[in-house]
Amino acid sequence: MSTLVPGATLELPDGALTVEVKGPYDVSVLITGADGKVAGDADFVFYNQPSAPGVRLGPGRVTVDRTALRPGASRLTVVVSPEEPGTRPAALPLPDLRITGPDGRALARFAPPRPTDETVLLLAEVYRRGPGWKLRALGQGYADGLAGVARDFGIEVADEPGPAPDPAPGPDSVPDDAREFTALVNAERARAGVPPVSVDARLVEAARRHADGMARQGRPTSEGPSGISVFQQVTACGYAYLGLAESLVSGPRSPAAFLEFCLRDARSSGPVRDPALTATGVARAVDARTGDTFWTALWARPFTAEGLARTAADVLALTNVHRTAAGLRPLDGDPRLTAAAQAHSADMAARGYHSHTAPDGGRPWDRAVAAGCVHRSIGENIACGQRSPAEVVEGWMNSPGHRANILTPDFTHLGVGFAGGGPAGTYWTQLFGGAA
């Protein structure tokens, strides 16, 4: 069974599927065509309308017969909302989505990043790609409930009584500060011969939340008043990343002054001109007690499956440089070790821990066996907070225990996992196997 991170995809077999969500949540499904819109109200499957052609809703689960879907249906989006009205997902256990195939075999699981202000979560989508179907993990949050999700998918919904919550960030919600800052940054990048960055509304929203938290605390800090890190704010706003840098500053009064400050500071100037970071978001907040201005700028390398594979390949290559220098045989990549390592990194990021033993008691060899590994000897290195493959491998080599795993002669294969998010921002796993 594969454990997915936001943005990851999985090829699906033919036949009926069962999508199960564990946790105190109601499950809904939106059926759409190639335009991303429903054909009518019948395409919204929820507790008051529990079935549509090819889709049937039961307690905590959805069964899907793709051969029986209405003509033109090419995408099913799985949505969850708290069972108890008025409860926010941030106060509940994370929903645990699992999908099984027609033979009852578990295909994949997914737990989204920890939400903050959202009231509804888009967990995953099943969609047609060419002659086959795929699953994509989402983890996107909405602040305005099922009604807001339904409207975005083309369903007419009567306004609900009561005050309207803040809308989820969208392309039109990017404030002038962020647009001005991005234009100034891109002028600087052009002078340096670096491609421009694009402003992303999700990063702007994460920056706004974090800047507000710094203003409430009266100091630049990587954690908000409730202990939520800037990295968790990013993933809570629906942005999955392979690289993230942050500039947290107090004092400047304008976007131009903030950029000038960043360019004078050795650490903050790096992201401004880093070609690997292609998206940005910025926001400021004022401490009402002192009048001090606090800025958060975020710089991101967005998550892609190809980028994740390159990151893992870089870790493997750097590891083999050290083995070769020690006169040892290079390690081969192993897809089953990789699946187990990736699952552990994703779990550490989602649940905010850093340990070889998961909260449910799972250990490295348990994860390896669950992924179908046949190696008789298993070893694991983990790390958090490092920003690149070079940094994490260097850190492991500078630690006697981790170095010993890397230079164990009997290990023959390696799987590498990486996930962004959680309190530390990055979570890395090496899972070694030997003596098959």
Side-chain angles (χ1 to χ4, degrees):
M1 179 174 62
S2 299
T3 298
L4 305 180
V5 297
T9 62
L10 178 74
E11 296 280 352
L12 293 172
D14 294 333
L17 301 172
T18 300
V19 180
E20 184 177 7
V21 178
K22 296 183 180 296
Y25 294 91
D26 288 326
V27 183
S28 307
V29 177
L30 288 144
I31 305 166
T32 57
D35 61 354
K37 300 294 184 181
V38 299
D41 291 353
D43 281 347
F44 187 19
V45 179
F46 66 118
Y47 49 84
N48 280 342
Q49 184 171 269
S51 65
V55 180
R56 180 169 296 277
L57 183 65
R61 67 175 55 207
V62 180
T63 55
V64 178
D65 180 359
R66 287 161 285 174
T67 64
L69 295 172
R70 65 159 176 83
S74 60
R75 190 177 303 267
L76 310 175
T77 303
V78 180
V79 183
V80 296
S81 54
E83 289 178 345
E84 188 67 29
T87 303
R88 290 187 178 271
L92 300 173
L94 285 175
D96 182 8
L97 179 144
R98 303 191 180 214
I99 186 165
T100 57
D103 58 357
R105 181 172 64 90
L107 302 176
R109 64 175 295 190
F110 172 62
R114 171 65 60 185
T116 54
D117 299 332
E118 296 82 354
T119 58
V120 171
L121 301 175
L122 274 59
L123 284 190
E125 57 186 8
V126 175
Y127 64 100
R128 186 188 297 275
R129 176 58 60 89
W133 289 77
K134 300 183 78 172
L135 171 74
R136 177 182 287 115
L138 296 177
Q140 177 184 347
Y142 273 70
D144 47 354
L146 278 177
V149 176
R151 289 190 187 96
D152 277 3
F153 280 78
I155 297 175
E156 294 293 332
V157 180
D159 289 336
E160 298 178 357
D166 294 335
D172 296 331
S173 65
V174 176
D176 291 342
D177 274 352
R179 296 187 189 280
E180 180 182 348
F181 182 78
T182 304
L184 293 167
V185 165
N186 283 335
E188 178 63 30
R189 288 170 76 95
R191 286 189 287 271
V194 176
V197 291
S198 59
V199 62
D200 188 286
R202 294 164 295 179
L203 293 176
V204 171
E205 174 63 12
R208 181 194 66 78
R209 296 180 186 182
H210 189 72
D212 285 347
M214 292 194 300
R216 290 198 299 274
Q217 296 176 91
R219 59 187 176 90
T221 175
S222 63
E223 288 190 351
S226 60
I228 301 297
S229 74
V230 65
F231 314 108
Q232 289 169 301
Q233 292 288 14
V234 171
T235 54
C237 288
Y239 194 95
Y241 61 86
L242 288 171
L244 189 76
E246 71 284 358
S247 300
L248 312 176
V249 173
S250 65
R253 299 288 181 172
S254 69
F258 178 37
L259 178 58
E260 182 181 354
F261 181 94
C262 290
L263 292 174
R264 292 199 310 264
D265 179 78
R267 184 179 183 278
S268 295
S269 64
V272 176
R273 305 186 185 96
D274 188 342
L277 302 172
T278 60
T280 189
V282 67
R284 61 174 158 177
V286 176
D287 183 347
R289 299 161 298 186
T290 63
D292 291 340
T293 302
F294 291 84
W295 292 86
T296 296
L298 300 171
W299 317 85
R301 176 189 173 202
F303 175 91
T304 64
E306 296 78 11
L308 179 63
R310 285 195 300 272
T311 297
D314 287 347
V315 172
L316 174 60
L318 290 166
T319 299
N320 280 334
V321 167
H322 292 289
R323 286 182 64 90
T324 301
L328 299 174
R329 168 187 165 180
L331 300 171
D332 293 325
D334 184 292
R336 290 165 295 189
L337 289 171
T338 296
Q342 183 60 38
H344 190 52
S345 287
D347 192 50
M348 288 192 293
R351 295 202 269 182
Y353 70 95
H354 179 241
S355 173
H356 294 288
T357 303
D360 59 7
R363 295 166 296 178
W365 43 91
D366 300 321
R367 294 188 285 273
V369 169
C373 295
V374 296
H375 301 283
R376 288 202 300 270
S377 59
I378 294 291
E380 185 179 78
N381 286 344
I382 58 174
C384 64
Q386 293 81 4
R387 304 298 178 104
S388 70
E391 184 180 350
V392 74
V393 173
E394 180 183 3
W396 281 326
M397 287 300 295
N398 289 333
S399 166
H402 298 99
R403 179 187 178 93
N405 273 337
I406 289 174
L407 300 182
T408 294
D410 291 341
F411 286 148
T412 58
H413 291 79
L414 179 68
V416 178
F418 168 85
T426 60
Y427 293 81
W428 305 81
T429 302
Q430 283 184 313
L431 195 60
F432 300 86

